[in-house]
Every structure is written in C-alpha cells, then in structure tokens.
Amino acid sequence: MRKIKSNLTLFAMLLGISAAFAFKTPEPKKFASVWRRIATSSTRETSNSWMQGSGSGNCVSATKICTASFADGYDPNQHTLQENTDNAEGTVNLGYKAN
C-alpha cells in the first residue's frame, strides 16, 4: 500500500510539472525599429554599416539588404552581411541608403 501511495504521489508531481510547461504561453516576438544599411556608391555591395530607423528617401539599387526588421536586441552591426540576411524578419528591401 505504501508503494502505491509513493507511486501515485510521484505520478501526480510529474503530471503537475508537465501541465505547467504545457500551458505556458510563449512571449510574442518583439521587433526593433527598422534598420537601414548605409553605404556609398563604391561600397554599396560590401558595406555592413547599419543605423536604426528607416530614414527618408528610397533605397539606391544594390543586391544586398537596404532595410529590414530584426528581433528585439539584435544589432546588425555586430554580425556579418550573411548573418543579417539570414536573420532579417518582416519586409526586406534591397539596396542601400546613401551615406
């Protein structure tokens, strides 16, 4: 009888812990402001310099990201162009903002 009570207690604890994790609501992703890649005509394909905010005016033509949103806390200045391309979320525009 004592073994059955121990097993039931253990089962109840495991069930309670499992339920606590199963019903935990994930926090929604927060997005930082739009980031824009700044460059000059000679560095338009290689520049990895970013400023937060969309700025004014359109992107000048280039094959790399011009503006993109990244997860909250992500700083594209601390990552490579390829990492930024892989981590960009939301609408991505190609080109660059003239420096």
Side-chain angles (χ1 to χ4, degrees):
M1 186 73 159
R2 185 176 178 144
K3 187 175 182 178
I4 292 174
K5 282 186 178 181
S6 295
N7 286 343
L8 283 174
T9 302
L10 183 60
F11 177 73
M13 284 177 45
L14 288 173
L15 184 63
I17 292 170
S18 298
F21 286 108
F23 295 107
K24 184 177 180 182
T25 305
E27 288 191 33
K29 280 189 175 181
K30 297 177 184 174
F31 292 98
S33 298
V34 173
W35 287 81
R36 64 184 173 136
R37 187 174 65 91
I38 55 175
T40 63
S41 59
S42 61
T43 62
R44 68 185 190 170
E45 298 298 335
T46 58
S47 174
N48 193 34
S49 187
W50 296 79
M51 290 182 65
Q52 200 168 16
S54 60
S56 61
N58 294 327
C59 296
V60 179
S61 180
T63 61
K64 307 293 186 216
I65 296 174
C66 178
T67 59
S69 295
F70 297 98
D72 191 32
Y74 184 93
D75 183 350
N77 289 304
Q78 297 174 357
H79 300 276
T80 65
L81 268 171
Q82 186 58 52
E83 289 171 332
N84 292 334
T85 300
D86 295 342
N87 288 296
E89 300 179 4
T91 302
V92 174
N93 297 313
L94 298 181
Y96 68 98
K97 295 286 187 171
N99 190 3

